[in-house]
Amino acid sequence: MLRPAREANYQMIRIPTMGVHGDEIMQQESSPLCAIDITPDLRKQFAYLSGGRGQNGSPIIVFPEFPAFGEIQEREFHNVLTYLTSIPSLSAAGVGFILVIDRRQDRWAAVKGTLLRIAGSFPGNLQLVLVLRPTTLFQRTLSDILFKFNKDEFKMKVPMIMLSSVTELHSYIDRTQLTTELGGTQEYSHEKWISHRTAIEGFALMVKRTAQILQSFGTELAETELPNDIQATSNLLGTHINKKSKMKEDLLVALGQGSRLLESINEPVVRDPDHNMNRDELENLATVQRLLSQLNETERAFDEFWERHKTKLEQCLLLRHFEHNYREVRCLLDQVAERLTAFSEVGISPAHADHIFHELSSHEERVCVLDRAQALAREGDELIQNSHYAEDSIQPKCIELRAVNEELRTYLRAKKDHLLRAIELHHSLERAAKWCDDGIYLLASQPVDKCQSHDGAESALQEIERYLDTAGQNKLTDPSAICRDYETVLNQEFRKVFQKQVSMQEMFEKRRVSLKKLAAKHTRPVQPVAPRPEAIKSPLSSPGQSLYTTCPEVLPLQSNRSASMSEEDENLAILRQHVMNELLETERAYVEELLCVLQGYASEMDNPAMASLMPIPLQNKKDVLFGNMPEIYHFHKTTFLRELEEYEDRPELVGRCFLERMTDLQIYEKYCQNKPRSESLWRQCSDCSFFQECQKKLEHKLGLDSYLLKPVQRITKYQLLLKELLKYSKGCEGSEALQEALTSILGILKAVNDSMHLIAITGYDGNMGDLGRLLMQGSFSVWTEHKKGHAKVKDLARFKPMQRHLFLHEKALLFCKRREENGEGYEKAPSYSFKQSLNMSAVGITENAKGDNKKFEVWCNSREEVYIVQAPTSEVKTTWVKEIRKVLTTQLEAYREASQQRPSDGLFQFPPGAGAPVSLRSVI
C-alpha cells in the first residue's frame, strides 16, 4: 500500500494575500483594468493622476488642454477614468477626487461638453471640481453667463468653481501639489508614470501567480503518497527537489524584478536627495515594498513547508533503505541459521570432528552478517532518536534483529561446546577402537606352533596379560557415566564401540582360558584354523582405511574345532557389523552431499540475484549439468537410506534391500549416460564467477566437479561394500541375497560402462534404439576374408589386423574404430567411428579359428564375408561366443515357432528372406 503524505501531519502552505494598495486591493479577485490593457488610451493624456493631493488628502485628477477631447470615444473615456479612480488607496478615494479641468485655450462649448461628459460618467466620488475657464474675453464672459444658466445641467452634487487663472487655482490647491503646467512645483512625466504603473501591476500579478503556483505545488506535495520501494522514493524525492528548484528560480526572478522596480521608483531620490516624492509615488513605493515583503514571507512559508516535506521524504527513503537492508539481513540470518544446521553432525572420526570444528570456527569468523545485523539495529535506533515518523515500524525490527543475533551467537557457542565434547569423545572412541583392533591383530598374529608347547602357551599368555595391563587404560570405562555426559553426542557410536570392546574382552578371556589350559598341562597339539602370516595386516598400515570399518579376519586359537568355529562366527559377525556401519555412515554423508549440491548450486541457478554471474552457455542448462541428481537424492533420502537402516542390526540380510530396490538403482545409468555432457558443460564454465560465488558461500574447498562425481563413486562403493559383506557372510542366511545383489550391482556397472561407450559412437546414420539392447562391447583384433565369384580371394595382404571395437546388440553387431583419448578424467572418454554393421539375422559363428583359442569367426552370406576376431584372452572369447550363440539361439527358437526346421549339411538353413539367422555352427 502507498502511504499518503498527509498521514505525517503535513500542513498546507499559507500564502499571504497581497495587493497594490495600502488596503491590499489586489485581494479583490478582479481589478477593473490594468495599465497594460489601456496603454494607448492613457498615452493620449486627456486625463491623468498627477500624484497631488488636496488639503484633506483628496487625489487630484487633471484634465489638461486637449483640443480633441470631444473626439474621445466613450469607451476610452470610461476606461481611463475608471482606471485613474482605481489607483489611489481606498481611504483616499473615499474622501473624493478633486478634478482640475484646464480649458484656458478652449471655448465654452468645449468646457460645457467636458463638464457634461464628466458629470454623466465619472466613476468615483467627487469632492471639488475646479475649471480653468477660457482666457479670451469673449469666451470668459460667455462662460460666466452660460455657467449660471446651465449649472443644473451638470447634475454634480459637489461644488464646481470656475477659475480665471492659475493664481485662483493656488488658493484651492497648494502649488506643491500641482504640476508645472498649472503653475505648481511638482515634476510629472506621463510616460514614466505609465511605465511605473505597468511595472507595478505586472510585478503584483507575478507575485500573485507565484503565490498561486506555490500554493498549488504545496497542495501537490501534501497529497503525495509515499512509495514502498527505494527506487520510487528516490525518484520522487529527486522529482520534488527539481520542482522546488524551479519554484525557487521563479521566486528569485520575481524578487529580482521587484528589487529593480523599487530602484526605479527610488531613482529620483537617489539622484537628488532633496527630491520630494508625491503621494502617488510614495504609494507606489509602499506597494512595491509590501509586495516584496509578501513575496519574502511567501518564500519563507514555502521553505518551511518544503523542509518539512523534504525531511519526510528523506525519512521515507531512509526507512525504505532500512526495510530493504532488514529484509536482506533477515534472509542472511535465516541462511546462517540453516547453514548452522549443517554442523549438526559430529563427525565420523576425530580428524573429521576437528575439521568440522575448524570449519565452524572459520564460518563464525566469516559470518559478518551478525555484525551487520547489530549495526542495522543501531541504525534503526538512530532513526528513532532523530524523531522518525515510522518509529512504531522500526522499533520491533530492531528488537527482532537483536534477538535473532543473540540467539545465533548463543547457538554458535553451544555448537562449539557440543563439538568440543564430541571431539573429546571421538578421541576416547578412537583409543578404544584402536585397543580393539590392536587386540585382534595380537590374537591373530600369535604363532600357532608356539602355543602347542607349555612354554609357548605361557609366553602367549604373558603377552596378552602385558597388553591388557599396558593398553587397558585406552578402554572405555564407566559407560553409564559417558552416556550421561554425552547423551546428545555420539551416543549411538559409543554403544557400537563399547559393544566391540566387550566382544574383544570376551575374545581375550576365551584366549586366556585356552592358553591357561595349555600352560597347565601338556596336551596333544591341535591344528587350529589361523590366518596366513601374509594376510595378517595391522589396520593402521593401510592409509585411508576407516578406523571403524575393516579388520583382519581373526580365527581365535581354541583347543577344539567347534569352539574355534564359534569364535570365528563371532569375529565374522563383528566384521559384518563394521561393514554395515560404514555403509550407513557413508550413505548418510552421501545424502547430505547431494542436498548440499542441489541447494548450493542447482537452486542458485534459478536465483535472480545470481543471474548476472551466469555465463550464457550455462543459462537454462541445469538439467544438463546435474542430470537426474534430484531424482537420485529423493530416492536415497526418502526411501533407500531408511530401508538400509532397518537392516542395521542384521547386516547379513541387507542384500534383500538392494534386490528390492535394484530397479530404482538403475537411475544411475541415466546419470552416467549424461555425465559426458555434464563434463563438457563444466569445462566451458568452470572458471565463471557463478561457480566461484556458490563455492565461496558453501565454503567448500573442492569444486563442483568433485561433487558431480559422487553418484558415480557411490554405485562403485556399493559393489565394494557388498563384496566385503559377502566375504564375512559365507554360510549365513542372507549370503545368497548378497551374492545376487552384488551380481546385480555389477550388472548395473556393466550397463553403465557399456552405455558410456555406446553414446561415444559417431558416424552411425541409423537409430541406435532400433538395434535392441546392448549386450556386450569390447576391443578386438579383426581380419577380413572375402569370396568374389568362384575364386576365393583373401585379404591376407593385411598381415597387421585392424583394431576394432565391437558392440553386440540384440539385432546387430557394430564394428567401430576407437579414436585417441585426450585430456583428463571424463575428457579421456574414448570416441568410436562407425565402420560396419552386421544384421544378427544374417550372421553365423564359428567358435574356433586358425587353431588359436582366442579367435573365433563371424560370417554371413554363406561365408562370402568372414571376420576373424581375436579376443584379448580366451575367457573374453568364450564369453562373447556364448553371448552370440545365445542371440542366435533365441532367434532360432523364434523362427521355429513360425516355420519348420530344415537341416542341411550340418547347418541350420532358413528360407531366404525369412528374417531368421542364416546359420549357427559350432566347430570344436
Side-chain angles (χ1 to χ4, degrees), residues 644-858:
L644 286 177
E645 289 174 340
E646 294 177 2
Y647 292 90
E648 183 173 6
D649 298 328
R650 298 294 303 276
E652 66 276 4
L653 301 180
V654 77
R656 299 174 182 175
C657 180
F658 280 89
L659 289 176
E660 291 171 359
R661 293 298 173 184
M662 197 56 63
T663 302
D664 295 315
L665 287 171
Q666 290 176 358
I667 57 179
Y668 281 91
E669 292 185 34
K670 181 178 178 181
Y671 184 84
C672 293
Q673 288 170 4
N674 180 70
K675 199 68 177 69
R677 297 174 62 210
S678 174
E679 288 290 331
S680 177
L681 182 60
W682 167 257
R683 289 195 299 271
Q684 294 181 59
C685 309
S686 59
D687 294 333
C688 71
S689 301
F690 173 79
F691 290 128
Q692 295 174 1
E693 183 64 21
C694 290
Q695 184 175 347
K696 180 180 177 182
K697 287 182 179 180
L698 294 172
E699 301 175 3
H700 284 177
K701 295 181 180 179
L702 299 177
L704 174 61
D705 54 331
S706 299
Y707 291 91
L708 293 175
L709 198 58
K710 294 291 182 180
V712 181
Q713 295 170 336
R714 190 59 186 164
I715 196 68
T716 306
K717 182 70 172 177
Y718 288 144
Q719 171 200 357
L720 300 176
L721 291 172
L722 287 174
K723 280 184 179 179
E724 286 290 305
L725 273 175
L726 185 60
K727 183 170 67 174
Y728 303 136
S729 303
K730 298 289 178 61
C732 292
E733 178 185 352
S735 60
E736 293 182 1
L738 281 171
Q739 180 61 58
E740 190 176 347
L742 177 60
T743 303
S744 299
I745 289 291
L746 290 173
I748 291 178
L749 288 173
K750 178 182 178 301
V752 168
N753 183 59
D754 290 347
S755 63
M756 294 290 285
H757 288 275
L758 188 61
I759 63 176
I761 296 177
T762 60
Y764 183 76
D765 295 333
N767 185 356
M768 290 285 184
D770 297 338
L771 303 181
R773 186 165 54 92
L774 177 64
L775 303 175
M776 303 190 73
Q777 55 83 25
S779 295
F780 299 88
S781 298
V782 179
W783 293 264
T784 61
E785 292 183 0
H786 294 276
K787 285 183 179 180
K788 297 182 180 178
H790 298 286
K792 182 179 181 182
V793 180
K794 297 182 178 180
D795 294 341
L796 295 181
R798 292 187 178 179
F799 294 103
K800 182 178 180 181
M802 297 179 293
Q803 298 301 316
R804 291 290 183 261
H805 201 90
L806 274 59
F807 293 87
L808 176 61
H809 294 260
E810 291 176 321
K811 298 181 180 180
L813 179 63
L814 271 58
F815 290 79
C816 300
K817 183 176 181 179
R818 183 185 180 108
R819 296 301 181 188
E820 294 294 329
E821 304 171 1
N822 298 309
E824 298 179 358
Y826 273 90
E827 297 180 31
K828 295 184 64 175
S831 63
Y832 305 96
S833 298
F834 172 75
K835 294 299 182 182
Q836 192 170 4
S837 174
L838 299 181
N839 193 327
M840 292 303 293
S841 64
V843 163
I845 181 174
T846 304
E847 294 186 12
N848 295 313
K850 309 295 183 181
D852 189 336
N853 63 353
K854 293 189 294 185
K855 290 182 180 179
F856 63 94
E857 292 181 352
V858 177

Side-chain angles (χ1 to χ4, degrees), residues 382-567:
E382 291 178 4
L383 292 177
I384 295 173
Q385 291 172 4
N386 292 332
S387 303
H388 197 286
Y389 68 86
E391 176 181 350
D392 294 341
S393 173
I394 297 172
Q395 192 169 24
K397 293 181 174 63
C398 294
I399 295 173
E400 182 181 359
L401 286 173
R402 288 192 172 91
V404 174
N405 188 29
E406 182 59 30
E407 181 181 352
L408 284 176
R409 292 186 186 277
T410 302
Y411 185 77
L412 270 170
R413 289 192 296 268
K415 182 62 65 176
K416 290 177 72 173
D417 293 341
H418 185 74
L419 276 171
L420 288 173
R421 293 197 302 273
I423 291 171
E424 182 181 348
L425 180 55
H426 263 304
H427 286 293
S428 298
L429 293 174
E430 183 182 49
R431 290 191 296 269
K434 185 177 184 300
W435 180 85
C436 295
D437 292 336
D438 290 347
I440 292 174
Y441 178 75
L442 172 63
L443 293 177
S445 62
Q446 286 183 336
V448 176
D449 56 349
K450 176 182 176 182
C451 299
Q452 307 308 309
S453 65
H454 177 274
D455 293 339
E458 185 69 31
S459 175
L461 180 61
Q462 291 177 2
E463 188 177 19
I464 290 176
E465 296 290 351
R466 283 196 302 272
Y467 178 78
L468 293 175
D469 290 341
T470 57
Q473 66 271 20
N474 293 326
K475 293 190 297 181
L476 297 174
T477 57
D478 194 5
S480 60
I482 293 180
C483 290
R484 184 173 58 254
D485 294 340
Y486 297 98
E487 183 177 359
T488 60
V489 184
L490 287 176
N491 196 19
Q492 185 178 7
E493 186 62 36
F494 164 78
R495 294 185 184 277
K496 292 177 182 178
V497 177
F498 185 74
Q499 285 296 328
K500 182 180 179 182
Q501 177 180 295
V502 171
S503 298
M504 277 305 306
Q505 193 71 38
E506 292 176 356
M507 291 170 64
F508 271 119
E509 288 301 321
K510 291 177 181 179
R511 178 63 63 88
R512 289 171 69 182
V513 169
S514 299
L515 289 175
K516 284 180 179 179
K517 289 179 179 179
L518 290 173
K521 59 180 179 177
H522 215 44
T523 61
R524 180 176 59 85
V526 297
Q527 298 297 327
V529 180
R532 296 188 302 275
E534 61 272 15
I536 301 174
K537 183 178 181 182
S538 171
L540 301 179
S541 64
S542 178
Q545 192 171 23
S546 173
L547 185 61
Y548 306 130
T549 56
T550 59
C551 299
E553 294 185 48
V554 179
L555 305 180
L557 185 64
Q558 286 289 353
S559 59
N560 60 75
R561 181 170 181 81
S562 61
S564 177
M565 292 303 296
S566 176
E567 276 193 50

